[in-house]
Amino acid sequence: MLGGSVLWFRHGLRLHDNPSLHSALEETSGPFFPIFIFDGETAGTKVVGYNRMRYLLEALDDLDKQFKKYGGRLLLVKGKPSAVFRRLWEEFGIRKLCFEQDCEPVWRPRDESVKTACREIGVTCREHVSHTLWEPDTVIKANGGIPPLTYQMFLHTVATIGDPPRPVDNAKLRGIKFGTLPLCFYEEFTVYDKVPNPEDLGVFLENEDIRMIRWVGGETAALKQMQHRLAVEYETFCRGSYLPTHGSPDLLGPPISLSPALRFGCLSVRKFYWSLQDLFQQVHQGSLCSTQYITGQLIWREYFYTMSVNNPHYGQMTDNPICLDIPWKSPEGDELERWASGRTGFPFVDAAMRQLRLEGWLHHAVRNTVASFLTRGTLWLSWEHGLAHFLKYLLDADWSVCAGNWMWVSSSAFEALLDSGECACPVRLGQRLDPSGEYVRRYVPELARVPTEYIYEPWKAPLDVQERANCIIGKDYPAPVVNHIVAAQRNRNAMEDTKMEKNHAKQRGRPLASSNSGRRWNSPLDYQQTGREKIY
């Protein structure tokens, strides 16, 4: 019985600002086992598309390369976590298991199973908070034992708690004795001697890999991306502002968002938060007080986590106490599949849905468009369909933040009034955000030769124009799945009926955000450099 400790990676795929790593290295009586376990659920792998799986595996490969610099490696095992840790105890007598907190209730059964197994064998469990700025349970306790009912109440509550902790120093790995797995592990579990490919895990490309934007997973890339982002923020602060814009997004340029790195924990949210705050103070030398707006979308991320932590039904309508019971219709014909595959006949929507499948990414303004189109804007289908699709394909989608945004954009929760009159038109918004139509031409190549005046309404092009463009509507590109104008008016009426029937939240007592917060897709700090105004 050698003793030793285990660092269990789930999210938090980094070495910087990793209190669990520090805790694991305190145990010096035996070897150190850094491990990631493919259990079919961890890090969102239960239902996962190719891009998300590739990003995860790149992050694991980056960790493995960093450990190899110190004579170790990241252990990669496929199995049930509690069974793996029990066998490590039987073989090595491990004394300590450390991991970063996954606060969402979807992970609770997994973690309780592991904690129970550790209690039975006498292994100490140490869970550390570093995936969120504040521990959600601490926020709830400070608010009198209930989640803050509004975003403003959340801001007040965290203000009483105080600033989030600063990141911990980098752990020293030189001289650490890394553990290796015995032969019996190879016989009882699937053990990978190198990071597998997505195909090795049963995840395959659905279409040809023709991505225009290439996301690279891992801590090394994330830290470089953060430095680039801080340079953008520095210029913004020097101009006397603190919010890079949503107003004139560059849909074709390389995005500057760090949300995928934050979602997988390749970048510490605390490191990014404090880097922004310190940069602001450096630029203004204390002459201006920082506000929550500097890191506002990180705070929204915290709010959604806190709202979900004690609500296992947060990602669904049934039994979800914060979700308005809007009578969405069931999908008719192939309309849901046409939305998911980018064949609705509305070029801006279709370009976005194809980009999502190809690259795993969408700009926040485009996310709003496709989410509104699916739900209250056009198709009147439940946001649950959209959540399932995004959780599979969107790189930065996690359960709490993604479900929260789908409820918000669909007017199901997190707003003070049912905003039934506001509806993103897929034609006008495309014309505004990409007047040249280049975004559509990139992702919907069958429309590449359609004149700009018809690019967002190709069904209005005369037949001879369609023939010259080699794109006959109904043959080469589908006709609109519905009449958007008629559907939008019908949906506005239905939302008004719902508002009257439910008398909004006064009769339900559901938590809502303040009405003047503005509707946004809360992909943490997902915005571009140019312009100033908001989309809505």
Side-chain angles (χ1 to χ4, degrees):
M1 304 292 281
L2 302 176
S5 62
V6 178
L7 174 58
W8 180 22
F9 285 100
R10 300 103 65 86
H11 296 99
L13 303 178
R14 64 181 183 275
L15 300 186
H16 75 274
D17 188 30
N18 194 327
S20 297
L21 174 58
H22 281 272
S23 181
L25 295 180
E26 291 172 352
E27 175 61 50
T28 59
S29 65
F32 168 56
F33 298 91
I35 190 169
F36 183 90
I37 301 174
F38 294 95
D39 60 354
E41 293 187 23
T42 293
T45 55
K46 188 172 185 178
V47 179
V48 61
Y50 194 86
N51 284 306
R52 279 169 63 90
M53 180 61 82
R54 175 161 45 190
Y55 191 96
L56 167 63
L57 296 177
E58 288 172 347
L60 297 178
D61 186 59
D62 185 68
L63 280 176
D64 186 50
K65 288 177 180 176
Q66 294 192 69
F67 283 128
K68 284 178 178 177
K69 295 177 183 178
Y70 299 96
R73 55 163 295 198
L74 178 65
L75 304 175
L76 300 166
V77 180
K78 184 177 181 180
K80 186 177 180 181
S82 58
V84 172
F85 299 135
R86 186 180 291 273
R87 289 295 288 122
L88 282 172
W89 173 76
E90 291 171 350
E91 290 293 322
F92 298 98
I94 59 169
R95 298 178 181 176
K96 194 183 216 182
L97 171 64
C98 304
F99 49 88
E100 181 185 72
Q101 181 190 74
D102 278 344
C103 64
E104 298 169 307
V106 291
W107 309 115
R108 201 159 294 154
R110 176 201 63 187
D111 288 356
E112 287 302 319
S113 172
V114 168
K115 291 175 183 178
T116 297
C118 286
R119 282 193 299 268
E120 292 174 353
I121 59 181
V123 172
T124 299
C125 276
R126 290 287 181 265
E127 184 178 53
H128 298 267
V129 177
S130 56
H131 191 62
T132 53
L133 294 172
W134 296 275
E135 182 179 19
D137 284 338
T138 299
V139 177
I140 292 171
K141 183 178 179 180
N143 193 54
I146 60 173
L149 299 182
T150 69
Y151 179 67
Q152 294 301 322
M153 188 182 298
F154 179 84
L155 292 177
H156 173 76
T157 302
V158 297
T160 64
I161 296 173
D163 290 335
R166 284 186 174 268
V168 300
D169 294 334
N170 291 345
K172 294 179 173 58
L173 293 174
R174 195 169 303 280
I176 295 298
K177 180 183 178 182
F178 287 86
T180 58
L181 297 179
L183 180 61
C184 63
F185 266 75
Y186 288 79
E187 297 171 347
E188 298 176 35
F189 305 100
T190 299
V191 179
Y192 299 96
D193 288 323
K194 64 178 183 178
V195 176
N197 296 317
E199 292 84 356
D200 298 327
L201 299 169
V203 181
F204 300 92
L205 270 173
E206 298 178 9
N207 300 292
E208 185 181 358
D209 190 1
I210 53 172
R211 291 168 298 156
M212 307 296 179
I213 297 174
R214 174 73 165 89
W215 292 85
V216 178
E219 178 181 24
T220 300
L223 290 174
K224 291 180 181 178
Q225 291 162 357
M226 187 188 75
Q227 292 306 314
H228 172 67
R229 179 54 183 272
L230 291 176
V232 173
E233 296 289 340
Y234 177 80
E235 294 177 0
T236 305
F237 293 160
C238 288
R239 292 196 301 266
S241 184
Y242 49 76
L243 277 181
T245 184
H246 292 259
S248 300
D250 180 4
L251 300 181
L252 298 171
I256 61 172
S257 175
L258 298 172
S259 53
L262 292 170
R263 180 257 180 269
F264 285 97
C266 301
L267 175 65
S268 159
V269 66
R270 303 191 302 192
K271 183 176 181 65
F272 188 35
Y273 174 92
W274 280 111
S275 295
L276 287 170
Q277 294 288 347
D278 292 344
L279 183 63
F280 185 87
Q281 293 301 324
Q282 173 191 329
V283 169
H284 296 290
Q285 298 181 353
S287 61
L288 291 177
C289 294
S290 62
T291 72
Q292 72 267 20
Y293 297 110
I294 297 173
T295 49
Q297 291 190 349
L298 294 180
I299 308 301
W300 275 100
R301 174 181 183 265
E302 296 287 310
Y303 178 53
F304 281 136
Y305 274 127
T306 302
M307 292 304 299
S308 75
V309 68
N310 291 324
N311 182 1
H313 305 294
Y314 180 85
Q316 62 193 53
M317 287 180 60
T318 304
D319 298 323
N320 185 350
I322 72 169
C323 182
L324 191 64
D325 186 19
I326 296 176
W328 308 110
K329 69 180 180 66
S330 298
E332 298 174 355
D334 63 349
E335 58 183 355
L336 178 58
E337 194 278 331
R338 287 180 64 174
W339 174 83
S341 62
R343 297 185 300 107
T344 67
F346 290 90
F348 194 62
V349 172
D350 292 346
M353 298 307 293
R354 296 186 194 188
Q355 181 188 15
L356 175 60
R357 287 210 179 193
L358 283 173
E359 300 169 359
W361 180 255
L362 289 177
H363 187 277
H364 82 95
V366 184
R367 299 183 194 200
N368 275 338
T369 303
V370 300
S372 176
F373 186 91
L374 178 70
T375 58
R376 64 188 177 86
T378 305
L379 295 182
W380 198 253
L381 299 178
S382 172
W383 58 269
E384 293 170 306
H385 300 299
L387 173 62
H389 191 75
F390 272 31
L391 287 176
K392 181 176 181 179
Y393 291 103
L394 191 62
L395 285 176
D396 64 357
D398 60 9
W399 187 74
S400 293
V401 178
C402 197
N405 277 294
W406 273 101
M407 283 188 278
W408 193 354
V409 174
S410 66
S411 291
S412 298
F414 300 115
E415 59 177 11
L417 293 173
L418 279 174
D419 201 359
S420 53
E422 179 186 336
C423 176
C425 173
V427 173
R428 291 197 303 270
L429 194 57
Q431 292 169 336
R432 176 185 174 187
L433 297 180
D434 179 40
S436 68
E438 288 308 304
Y439 177 71
V440 168
R441 291 186 176 91
R442 170 183 285 188
Y443 294 105
V444 190
E446 56 265 47
L447 297 174
R449 298 178 59 183
V450 172
T452 301
E453 61 186 297
Y454 297 113
I455 193 67
Y456 290 108
E457 298 175 289
W459 59 88
K460 290 186 176 181
L463 181 59
D464 63 318
V465 174
Q466 296 181 33
E467 290 173 341
R468 286 196 298 272
N470 291 329
C471 184
I472 306 299
I473 302 306
K475 176 186 175 184
D476 303 302
Y477 180 73
V481 64
V482 295
N483 184 317
H484 168 73
I485 296 175
V486 172
Q489 183 58 54
R490 181 183 65 240
N491 295 350
R492 279 192 289 268
N493 295 338
M495 196 64 82
E496 286 296 329
D497 291 342
T498 300
K499 182 177 179 180
M500 294 177 61
E501 292 171 4
K502 303 299 182 182
N503 193 21
H504 196 243
K506 291 181 181 179
Q507 296 180 6
R508 292 282 304 269
R510 65 184 177 95
L512 302 165
S514 57
S515 60
N516 60 355
S517 299
R519 184 185 302 280
R520 74 192 81 178
W521 193 280
N522 187 50
S523 170
L525 293 164
D526 168 25
Y527 38 65
Q528 304 292 325
Q529 305 176 35
T530 56
R532 291 300 310 147
E533 62 184 311
K534 292 183 179 179
I535 291 299
Y536 296 113

